[in-house]
Amino acid sequence: MSGPADSSGQTRRGAAQPANPADVTERYAQRPQGSFKALLRLLPYAKPFRMQFLIVFVLVVVFNLSNVYQPYLVKVAIDRDLSNGAHNYTGLLHISLLYVGLVLVGVLASFAQIMVLQYSGQSIIRQIRLDLFRHIERQSMKFFDETAIGRLVTNVSSDTETVSQFFTQFFLSMVRDGLSVLMTIVAMFELDWRIASYAMVLIPILFGISMAFRKHLRQAYQVTRTRLSSIVAFLAENLAGIRITQIFHQERRQARAFEVLNSAHRQANVWNYQVSVLFNRTFELLGNLAVAAVVWVGGSAVLRHAILFGTLYAFITYIRQFFQPINALTQQWNTLQASMVSADRIGRVFMVEPIVEEPIQADPVVVDDVAGLVEFRDVSFAYQTGRPVLHHIDFRVEPGQLVGVVGATGAGKSSIMSLLTRFYDPTEGQICIDGRDIRTMAQRDLHRVVGLVQQDVYLFSGTIADNIRLFRSDISDETVVASAKAVGAHEMISRLPRGYDTPLYGKGANLSMGERQLIAFARVVALNPKILILDEATASLDSQTEELVNIGLQAVSQNRTTLVIAHRLATIRHADVILVLERGRIVERGTHEELLALGGLYAELHRKSGIEAAPEENRPHQETYASSVLVHPTRVPE
Ligand SMILES: Nc1ncnc2c1ncn2[C@@H]1O[C@H](COP(=O)(O)OP(=O)(O)OP(=O)(O)O)[C@@H](O)[C@H]1O
Ligand SMILES: [Mg+2]
């Protein structure tokens, strides 16, 4: 957020803003590079679980102690109770019981440690995921214009999962396996420092092998993961556009593209396994060689009566215990690297700030007191710097008026409406409602005042009633039904097997376009905005339904400032004022009659649509509003 909004309604942008948001979006798009810093930035999420991590640490120590003592107990049994003709049954029994006790303690400690750690790790990830989702939801339209949805899906689903492995696997391994190596070394030196010293020769060898493999292990793992993400991203994008794929018979081409990704993934995965198996087997081989060496060196010592047989046994076990954790530690490089890359990707999302900013301190808007005066004061706008699409737009709509906006495709009609709903902010000028700059209003307030009905309907998974009230519990069932009745949707909904409780599949696929639009209309009526924007519609409604909707919406647009964008001029001929847009400029304005008399662009457009317009004369009032209602559905007030 940049500087505070002053009373004149100008937010101090530009100078007060540290980074150009466009650059930040660009940075998001760059290839992520794993860095430890990125992980550290997520560390505050672990802070609430300090206690749990401490408990895990203690449990790990207990677990390791139990592991280290087990071979020692057996050694004692062998040397004290079995060797040299000793027949110490009671001693054996004690040792056995103690052994069982140790094993039980170890199992319990291990169980508890995993439970506590997983609980903490999963809680951390739940929080990161939630924050990430909220953060993405807050982003401005520009971000979504420029970002592949599949990519965001990967960020929220699998990147968070990978980071969780840092808090669970990596942390656990560092502590458990690290301690295990240390304790085993100590135990070996306690037993016999000479053999222990021989064993220490292993450390540089193991270290060397780990180093040699590390790079390959990491690369293979990373490439596999990247390729899997590509598959997920491809799927997400592709399934979203499945209709287009089918209608244009692109299945084969898409399947081929998918096949390429899959082959690449297979290749990477096989390579990944090759490297890890090779590494594991090398370790195993070395472990067995070490055992053989201990048998030779230690066995000779036993024969020379330099050490006891039990000591040899314990040594063999310790040597085995020595390899396993080092192997595990080496493997953790993968986890660490992957977590760093994922943390970096998550960090990049968090870095993107919405270009459309919330005012720092906004006086609340009393929705009921809003009159609905809309003013554009010399507004210019560009989606991309240097490519303006709106130039010096200046107009004023009195409360309750109906304004028509016409113009060719790409003239900038929808862009004007996107500014009024603050999907974007103007590059220059000011937009005011009741004289107050909309940038000084909380967006939540703004979207209660301004309702938008767009061309494409968006419905959420849920019932029809949910979609009409947009999950707002303060809208009663009665209001839902009344709203549906107001736009003539009630009959259609009642015909459905489960009426208002009919569940909608993804985006309302089980309804026709027209039905979706009716629901979308009911939605905007239920939300009851003071200013209503209707951006291009009619297409999906048959003329009968259209008329029904019109009658309803005529009632609804009473006492409401209404802005209607229409290609069909008949739709807006009764508007209080019509704005004619050409290449981002208002070139004419006036009533239908005035504009016809002017004989300019509007008159020309009207002449061209003459065939269509003729029968309209017989139709009394043909404002055809339709399309999707979208009152910022993601910002449902709780
Ligand atoms: N998200 C965007 N990013 C970049 N440029 C955009 C974006 N949306 C629209 N434009 C450009 O802005 C210009 C105006 O688009 P706009 O959608 O406002 O036109 P319109 O008058 O609503 O057209 P139509 O009648 O086809 O709906 C067009 O040149 C378009 O290419
Ligand atoms: Mg448009």
Side-chain angles (χ1 to χ4, degrees):
M1 272 184 210
S2 78
D6 62 37
S7 53
S8 74
Q10 299 281 15
T11 43
R12 274 195 277 124
R13 314 194 81 244
Q17 226 162 296
N20 180 0
D23 297 343
V24 177
T25 322
E26 244 164 59
R27 244 185 287 157
Y28 171 74
Q30 283 166 7
R31 265 180 80 92
Q33 295 155 340
S35 73
F36 203 68
K37 256 200 222 145
L39 260 178
L40 286 186
R41 261 185 255 121
L42 293 177
L43 218 53
Y45 280 99
K47 227 176 158 190
F49 298 95
R50 275 168 305 191
M51 202 57 213
Q52 279 87 335
F53 283 107
L54 192 70
I55 293 173
V56 169
F57 184 77
V58 173
L59 288 169
V60 164
V61 173
V62 172
F63 172 74
N64 276 335
L65 280 176
S66 110
N67 270 358
V68 167
Y69 266 103
Q70 283 164 23
Y72 182 75
L73 277 183
V74 178
K75 170 212 151 19
V76 172
I78 294 173
D79 291 343
R80 189 190 69 189
D81 306 330
L82 296 175
S83 309
N84 304 328
H87 289 276
N88 190 352
Y89 284 99
T90 23
L92 267 186
L93 185 65
H94 281 162
I95 297 258
S96 298
L97 288 178
L98 215 58
Y99 194 91
V100 170
L102 264 187
V103 169
L104 282 181
V105 167
V107 167
L108 282 180
S110 156
F111 178 79
Q113 143 214 313
I114 289 173
M115 284 299 113
V116 175
L117 195 61
Q118 282 300 335
Y119 177 81
S120 315
Q122 295 303 329
S123 305
I124 291 170
I125 248 44
R126 168 180 146 269
Q127 195 55 48
I128 294 181
R129 215 172 247 165
L130 193 64
D131 286 357
L132 203 55
F133 183 69
R134 287 200 184 126
H135 185 80
I136 292 174
E137 270 190 326
R138 271 177 53 222
Q139 292 310 313
S140 309
M141 280 304 137
K142 189 171 168 61
F143 177 71
F144 296 107
D145 287 348
E146 292 167 359
T147 310
I149 296 299
R151 175 97 189 263
L152 292 173
V153 171
T154 320
N155 288 149
V156 179
S157 57
S158 58
D159 281 335
T160 48
E161 196 62 49
T162 312
V163 168
S164 87
Q165 290 176 356
F166 172 77
F167 292 109
T168 52
Q169 286 184 23
F170 183 79
F171 172 78
L172 183 64
S173 177
M174 282 300 131
V175 177
R176 187 185 58 195
D177 299 324
L179 268 180
S180 172
V181 172
L182 282 182
M183 286 183 170
T184 311
I185 291 177
V186 171
M188 287 199 284
F189 273 96
E190 280 288 310
L191 273 178
D192 188 288
W193 67 269
R194 275 158 308 186
I195 305 185
S197 311
Y198 281 126
M200 289 309 105
V201 175
L202 283 172
I203 290 183
I205 298 177
L206 292 181
F207 188 75
I209 292 178
S210 297
M211 280 297 145
F213 270 98
R214 202 186 65 174
K215 196 172 136 223
H216 298 287
L217 280 169
R218 187 185 70 205
Q219 273 178 354
Y221 183 74
Q222 222 153 305
V223 169
T224 312
R225 285 195 53 86
T226 318
R227 293 192 178 169
L228 187 63
S229 315
S230 306
I231 290 182
V232 173
F234 181 88
L235 263 183
E237 300 269 352
N238 211 260
L239 293 182
I242 189 73
R243 265 167 204 265
I244 304 299
T245 304
Q246 291 191 345
I247 212 81
F248 287 103
H249 295 279
Q250 295 291 302
E251 292 96 330
R252 272 205 204 177
R253 176 199 290 265
Q254 297 295 42
R256 268 202 302 275
F258 193 52
E259 161 57 16
V260 171
L261 291 178
N262 266 306
S263 298
H265 178 251
R266 176 184 67 179
Q267 196 189 16
N269 226 348
V270 169
W271 175 40
N272 188 16
Y273 275 101
Q274 265 172 0
V275 178
S276 1
V277 169
L278 203 62
F279 174 71
N280 283 331
R281 292 300 164 266
T282 309
F283 245 72
E284 220 173 87
L285 185 70
L286 203 69
N288 286 323
L289 288 178
V291 169
V294 170
V295 169
W296 169 245
V297 175
S300 313
V302 172
L303 289 181
R304 277 186 275 111
H305 298 288
I307 60 168
L308 295 172
F309 176 68
T311 309
L312 176 62
Y313 163 82
F315 251 104
I316 291 174
T317 318
Y318 284 140
I319 283 289
R320 287 211 175 281
Q321 273 188 14
F322 192 58
F323 275 78
Q324 193 276 328
I326 292 186
N327 186 345
L329 280 174
T330 310
Q331 308 263 2
Q332 287 312 313
W333 277 111
N334 286 346
T335 316
L336 180 65
Q337 293 292 333
S339 315
M340 289 197 302
V341 171
S342 287
D344 189 54
R345 291 215 282 220
I346 291 173
R348 272 161 210 271
V349 181
F350 277 132
M351 223 156 47
V352 184
E353 275 302 319
I355 300 174
V356 172
E357 295 160 346
E358 284 284 3
I360 288 173
Q361 259 190 331
D363 291 333
V365 177
V366 184
V367 180
D368 291 335
D369 292 353
V370 173
L373 170 71
V374 175
E375 285 167 289
F376 273 62
R377 297 181 187 165
D378 199 23
V379 169
S380 297
F381 173 62
Y383 288 100
Q384 281 131 12
T385 342
R387 297 182 58 192
V389 297
L390 293 177
H391 310 267
H392 308 289
I393 301 294
D394 203 286
F395 66 88
R396 178 187 166 101
V397 190
E398 300 300 330
Q401 271 194 340
L402 176 80
V403 177
V405 181
V406 298
T409 289
K413 306 179 294 290
S414 300
S415 304
I416 289 185
M417 303 311 165
S418 297
L419 294 182
L420 185 53
T421 48
R422 279 200 89 197
F423 284 150
Y424 306 87
D425 276 339
T427 359
E428 269 173 57
Q430 228 183 341
I431 299 168
C432 299
I433 291 176
D434 288 5
R436 177 171 168 186
D437 191 312
I438 57 173
R439 282 174 296 198
T440 68
M441 299 177 184
Q443 292 192 39
R444 161 172 305 197
D445 288 344
L446 177 67
H447 295 132
R448 277 201 198 150
V449 174
V450 183
L452 169 64
V453 186
Q454 277 179 319
Q455 233 157 343
D456 49 336
V457 180
Y458 194 91
L459 298 175
F460 293 89
S461 313
T463 65
I464 287 187
D466 290 338
N467 268 286
I468 292 178
R469 65 159 67 97
L470 267 183
F471 305 96
R472 268 175 61 170
S473 49
D474 58 324
I475 295 179
S476 67
D477 287 347
E478 288 72 39
T479 313
V480 168
V481 175
S483 311
K485 279 184 176 157
V487 297
H490 179 69
E491 211 178 298
M492 177 277 287
I493 297 171
S494 308
R495 272 202 305 271
L496 295 170
R498 291 174 62 186
Y500 284 84
D501 294 327
T502 307
L504 296 181
Y505 305 139
K507 301 180 189 172
N510 48 341
L511 293 179
S512 80
M513 279 293 198
E515 288 166 344
R516 284 182 232 176
Q517 281 182 329
L518 285 178
I519 290 172
F521 269 112
R523 178 190 288 171
V524 88
V525 171
L527 295 180
N528 195 21
K530 204 68 200 173
I531 298 164
L532 183 60
I533 305 173
L534 306 171
D535 185 353
E536 207 75 67
T538 56
S540 318
L541 298 178
D542 63 42
S543 51
Q544 224 180 340
T545 318
E546 188 180 304
E547 233 155 282
L548 270 175
V549 170
N550 284 336
I551 294 164
L553 278 176
Q554 265 170 48
V556 169
S557 61
Q558 295 290 312
N559 302 321
R560 227 183 275 273
T561 310
T562 315
L563 291 96
V564 181
I565 299 179
H567 269 141
R568 297 209 330 194
L569 302 187
T571 310
I572 41 108
R573 59 179 300 164
H574 298 283
D576 295 301
V577 65
I578 297 169
L579 306 174
V580 185
L581 220 60
E582 190 182 27
R583 285 197 222 128
R585 287 192 168 81
I586 298 180
V587 289
E588 293 169 17
R589 66 180 81 199
T591 63
H592 176 70
E593 285 73 26
E594 285 166 2
L595 290 174
L596 280 188
L598 192 69
L601 183 61
Y602 183 83
E604 195 190 318
L605 287 171
H606 186 260
R607 215 174 28 252
K608 281 182 183 159
S609 63
I611 313 150
E612 189 200 352
E616 300 290 342
E617 304 296 332
N618 307 327
R619 294 206 229 161
H621 202 61
Q622 199 60 38
E623 278 85 346
T624 41
Y625 316 137
S627 271
S628 89
V629 180
L630 194 138
V631 188
H632 228 113
T634 47
R635 286 167 213 265
V636 184
E638 56 275 347

